[in-house]
Amino acid sequence: MRKYFAEFFGTFWLVFGGCGAAVFAAGVPEIGIGLAGVALAFGLTVLTMAYAVGHISGGHFNPAVSFGLWMGGRFSAKELIPYIVSQVIGATAAAACLYTILNGAGAFSAEGAGAFATNFYEMEGYAGRSYSMGAAFLAEFLLTAFFLIVILGATDKWANGKFAGIAIGLALTLIHLISIPITNTSVNPARSTSQALFVQGEALSQLWLFWVAPIAGAIVGGLIYRFLLEKKEAE
């Protein structure tokens, strides 16, 4: 159970820290942290929890990562469902806390693209742009695939594992810097689900993409690293 609790708390921290930065601090006039600050917040959540509980559960905090590590030969299929359940529950608990805090100021809103840090496509978002479903799918697919390549490479037994958390946290920061304007950045189905449950409506109807694209990308990334990049014992 320690592994599942570690995934619960790690995913809770990711959503509370990343989505919390987006809903509380991103748009504050003059002192707001903006896009770059939110991207950094997501990276810092993974970096800090990788060192806090990564040695207990492996530090997935993301159903797509669990699938990718399975495809990469680093994770058992029998653990997939318990890990994903723990991650979704942790993310939803964090979203519930964010919702409660926002309601304390009467500030919760379900209106507009990205409300409550939800993910979206085919809705006018940042800079007045609306990205198609295909564009959103490709972005989420590619970014999750590369995220898994970074994770598998940084945690490889041939790599310097002491710095793995830093590489992974910075990779997630970069991913958000690229894709917040496109989809508000998912690459994590648990994070997408937790926010959509409270916003409902279009956020829920579009949620399928933020499960399918990240998981498909993670599986491809896992396979690429395992069969094309991973150093074998005999080499």
Side-chain angles (χ1 to χ4, degrees):
M1 290 301 293
R2 290 172 63 247
K3 294 184 293 185
Y4 308 142
F5 278 121
E7 287 298 304
F8 171 92
F9 286 115
T11 315
F12 182 103
W13 187 237
L14 184 151
V15 170
F16 191 82
C19 295
V23 300
F24 295 132
V28 180
E30 298 183 13
I31 61 169
I33 61 175
L35 182 153
V38 173
L40 184 60
F42 272 100
L44 288 173
T45 62
V46 170
L47 188 156
T48 51
M49 274 295 162
Y51 289 108
V53 300
H55 59 286
I56 300 171
S57 67
H60 300 191
F61 318 140
N62 180 339
V65 170
S66 296
F67 269 99
L69 292 175
W70 170 50
M71 281 290 107
R74 306 275 188 88
F75 188 60
S76 171
K78 69 181 182 180
E79 295 276 33
L80 270 175
I81 298 302
Y83 264 57
I84 290 170
V85 170
S86 301
Q87 292 155 1
V88 172
I89 293 174
T92 304
C97 291
L98 295 176
Y99 175 83
T100 303
I101 294 168
L102 274 175
N103 263 347
F108 177 80
S109 172
E111 299 298 322
F116 198 49
T118 49
N119 300 115
F120 58 86
Y121 59 87
E122 293 181 349
M123 298 171 67
E124 186 175 308
Y126 305 100
R129 293 179 179 174
S130 175
Y131 289 88
S132 68
M133 179 178 69
F137 193 101
L138 181 60
E140 292 288 331
F141 176 91
L142 287 174
L143 291 169
T144 315
F146 275 93
F147 191 36
L148 262 294
I149 291 171
V150 171
I151 291 170
L152 287 163
T155 58
D156 197 299
K157 65 182 179 181
W158 301 101
N160 189 333
K162 292 181 180 179
F163 298 104
I166 297 172
I168 294 166
L170 289 176
L172 190 60
T173 299
L174 175 59
I175 285 167
H176 279 78
L177 287 172
I178 295 167
S179 60
I180 286 176
I182 304 171
T183 62
N184 226 19
T185 309
S186 173
V187 302
N188 185 336
R191 165 264 189 274
S192 299
T193 299
S194 63
Q195 306 308 114
L197 287 174
F198 286 87
V199 172
Q200 300 285 307
E202 202 153 16
L204 270 182
S205 70
Q206 295 187 349
L207 182 60
W208 69 270
L209 185 143
F210 302 108
W211 274 85
V212 176
I215 289 174
I219 288 172
V220 170
L223 291 172
I224 287 173
Y225 192 84
R226 184 176 185 177
F227 294 108
L228 298 180
L229 299 174
E230 190 171 44
K231 182 179 178 180
K232 307 302 179 184
E233 292 286 353
E235 294 176 347

